[in-house]
Amino acid sequence: MIPWSRIDRAAAAALDEVDPLRERRGEFAVPPGVIYLDGNSLGALPRAVPGRIEAVLKEQWGQGLVRSWNGAGWIDLPARVGARIARLVGARADEVIVADSTSINVFKLLAAALELQPRRRVILSEDGNFPTDLYMAQGLCGLTGRAELRLVRTEAGSDAVLDAIDEDVAVVMLTQVDFRTGRRHDLQAMTARAHEGGALVLWDLAHSAGAFPVHLNEARADFAVGCGYKYLNGGPGAPAFLYVRQDLQERARQPLSGWMGHARPFHFVNGYEPAAGIARHLCGTPTILSLAALDAALDAFDGVDMAVLREKSVSLMETFIARVEAEATALGLALASPREAERRGSQVSYRHPEGYAIMQALIAAGVIGDFRAPDILRFGFTPLYLSHAEVFDAAELLCEVIRTRRFERPEFHRRALVT
Amino acid sequence: MIPWSRIDRAAAAALDEVDPLRERRGEFAVPPGVIYLDGNSLGALPRAVPGRIEAVLKEQWGQGLVRSWNGAGWIDLPARVGARIARLVGARADEVIVADSTSINVFKLLAAALELQPRRRVILSEDGNFPTDLYMAQGLCGLTGRAELRLVRTEAGSDAVLDAIDEDVAVVMLTQVDFRTGRRHDLQAMTARAHEGGALVLWDLAHSAGAFPVHLNEARADFAVGCGYKYLNGGPGAPAFLYVRQDLQERARQPLSGWMGHARPFHFVNGYEPAAGIARHLCGTPTILSLAALDAALDAFDGVDMAVLREKSVSLMETFIARVEAEATALGLALASPREAERRGSQVSYRHPEGYAIMQALIAAGVIGDFRAPDILRFGFTPLYLSHAEVFDAAELLCEVIRTRRFERPEFHRRALVT
């Protein structure tokens, strides 16, 4: 056991010496002088991506032209990339597919869940869940006129939302890791409890996939969605993924029934007939450039044991928290994340009344995290390209910026980041 | 007037000499030895794209990281690219935005149209309309349980679908150019007739945008969608666009209400509130790589007069048809497209019982068109990168392949194209 409270820079550097993932850093193009703690918003550029995209552009598109739909396997890319993500989230290869955006996928799977529960009409979720999930549920409810979104206000880290399950609740929509605080739900336990109440569960894995091991199959989770551009490093606006448990697939239908989800898309018949399995959750033509970037980005996970990744994630977070903890009270920093690593994703958040200005000062100095109103400083910990020494330095800078009130200097008041 | 019936290769080459768009060919990377007549399925690679994408990858993403959402203007890209497309389809800059896929956009705008017509419940369309449009309408109808898709079987080139407008019809969903035959509807006249019947109109411009001038505003068209990867050359699966007429925008709401269409997306409130104007039709995070490719691709249209583009399109098609016509009857080729250029998009189709094998032989010889079951050979004419000489040669090869029955040789039976 590492005595976190006594960690110093030499100890952090020593952790890096024995880090089994230290070679992975070389697979990312993080700019010199930057400590990047915002991979939970947009993952860093994997070095494999530009070469892959150049080949897609110049060879597959430029030379192969329309023939590349088959010749270069474009048509299979959503399923092939889905299968690679499946390993990271504890699902079978044929349970995950890449399509559209997380928002669109939420809509599809909520609609599918409601149809599977004809006697129930409520979508249950938490106040403060990531807004787009709530907005999509609101859109769906408004459109059908038969469903209702019920929001429960819960304490951070509590699973009290499940107390609200009654026989009206068709589906519980939960984001495993809270985007503000990094609070992590126990996916397995909460899925089991929801099932006991007769509800299905839709998990949003936006801040889970690629951040730590997820065990969808073990938990018998029904549905999940997730994001390609955070811990999976697929690039800005990378397409999202969705998961449907195998034994639900033939019954689960979704209403965004585009031609790519048709059983025979190139027969061009008038009537929709869903494809077998997970493919019915495709809709329009897949965005090949963005999909290929995500595919190349996933190379960085090849051979990575997700348990080892999680161990490093915890070690990075504990290094950061330990260094900040020494001065936190004096500096007015309050930990917004759960103190127990087990209840956190791969993110640490602090509250500070001057949070916005502090984050601008950090960014100006090369430590990139982000800010969420009204007072949250967010730091994401991506084990594939961060070192303990960097994380220690970032914590030190955070303390220094506040201690010296550097954040008050006008040159740090840059334009705000938006995501 | 060119005497098309007497055109020969020298005359075709002479047309190229005076072609005002001949310099545009240099902006595309069409492989040597290929005559590309499938730009109506996937447009050729514009030379501006690889450099632009490399900059997005290495500079904006790699160096700028999350800061590029503002710093590189990613957040504004859907509106900026939409404004560029607006010029090509006769709309105001603030009436078009790039988002999601054509399929998804059909769903959004059909739902918006139905909501605007509370006393009407029918979506009227044509049998044989592009299937994904029909499938999305079916998905919407199934989900709401209140709407109905009514399909009318019409003769090619007829506007008889409009005879079916009654007081139940909320919206008429039409694809301007038929994907099989290239038949072009009169957008202005049909919009006016639909309006007389009290219906709104949703136009699918998949085979129109970038192919010829479209005049959405002049026609007072209500809604439109279109494709980024055909005549706009945005690359495989490029994001699609949508149009909402300005005076409808504040009343038109759509149910795929993701955070990017929220009035204040970064306030992270629980309740959805649509953004003003066209931005409410965004949903999830935009796919920046694919969007940037589309943006760069549009450079090839800068300074192009769409009337001149249409003139060349007609001239290319007439060259092709004239050369084929001389032998068509003897070869068993039947023109599937309207003979009058005015009633065609930028595509010419022929029927032949051996169409599939003939197309494989053409492709093997470097003339790339495509095949649509049961018997249609499709040829797309993209004025920015095709010459009259090429089109003449392609017509000659088509005739020769049939005349000599080269298509029966097994080496031409390659794997089928899928789109």
Side-chain angles (χ1 to χ4, degrees), chain B residues 310-329:
Chain B
R310 173 63 179 174
E311 208 171 309
K312 179 172 175 189
S313 162
V314 170
S315 170
L316 291 170
M317 290 190 287
E318 293 299 326
T319 299
F320 187 82
I321 294 175
R323 175 60 191 85
V324 174
E325 225 158 36
E327 301 187 54
T329 311

Side-chain angles (χ1 to χ4, degrees), chain B residues 74-340:
Chain B
W74 290 346
I75 198 72
D76 305 318
L77 213 45
R80 277 193 286 123
V81 182
R84 298 184 75 183
I85 295 171
R87 179 182 81 84
L88 306 182
V89 296
R92 293 166 37 141
D94 63 357
E95 289 176 323
V96 177
I97 200 157
V98 175
D100 301 309
S101 62
T102 309
S103 302
I104 294 283
N105 292 339
V106 163
F107 189 93
K108 292 174 187 167
L109 297 185
L110 285 179
L114 287 168
E115 194 184 74
L116 287 172
Q117 299 265 58
R119 292 159 190 274
R120 296 173 174 231
R121 52 176 211 87
V122 169
I123 299 165
L124 178 66
S125 194
E126 294 178 284
D127 179 31
N129 190 357
F130 191 73
T132 206
D133 295 14
L134 303 180
Y135 302 160
M136 296 309 290
Q138 289 160 22
L140 178 63
C141 292
L143 187 63
T144 68
R146 291 187 304 268
E148 179 199 321
L149 175 64
R150 190 183 295 169
L151 288 187
V152 177
R153 184 179 293 266
T154 51
E155 291 299 304
S158 137
D159 62 359
V161 61
L162 300 178
D163 298 340
I165 295 181
D166 60 25
E167 56 195 16
D168 281 339
V169 173
V171 55
V172 187
M173 174 174 72
L174 297 169
T175 299
Q176 190 182 13
V177 177
D178 182 81
F179 76 107
R180 290 186 177 90
T181 65
R183 176 274 302 142
R184 182 169 74 156
H185 276 317
D186 183 334
L187 187 144
Q188 182 149 8
M190 289 180 76
T191 300
R193 273 197 60 197
H195 286 175
E196 281 165 27
L200 296 164
V201 188
L202 167 60
W203 285 101
D204 182 339
L205 303 177
H207 293 260
S208 307
F212 51 79
V214 177
H215 304 289
L216 288 172
N217 279 170
E218 256 181 66
R220 287 197 55 74
D222 307 292
F223 300 107
V225 297
C227 177
Y229 55 78
K230 297 179 181 290
Y231 294 90
L232 298 181
N233 313 305
F241 68 89
L242 63 81
Y243 153 93
V244 179
R245 200 181 63 228
Q246 209 277 333
D247 62 292
L248 290 173
Q249 287 183 3
E250 290 313 301
R251 290 183 293 136
R253 291 176 60 116
Q254 62 90 8
L256 301 178
S257 44
W259 68 320
M260 287 292 153
H262 195 281
R264 295 162 294 130
F266 301 106
H267 285 222
F268 299 103
V269 296
N270 281 344
Y272 182 73
E273 183 192 329
I278 196 74
R280 65 179 56 180
H281 296 280
L282 295 176
C283 181
T285 307
T287 55
I288 296 302
L289 298 187
S290 295
L291 246 171
L294 175 57
D295 191 26
L298 291 171
D299 291 355
F301 284 93
D302 283 348
V304 171
D305 178 334
M306 294 303 283
V308 169
L309 182 108
R310 173 63 179 174
E311 208 171 309
K312 179 172 175 189
S313 162
V314 170
S315 170
L316 291 170
M317 290 190 287
E318 293 299 326
T319 299
F320 187 82
I321 294 175
R323 175 60 191 85
V324 174
E325 225 158 36
E327 301 187 54
T329 311
L331 298 174
L333 280 168
L335 186 65
S337 306
R339 185 61 189 89
E340 312 86 319

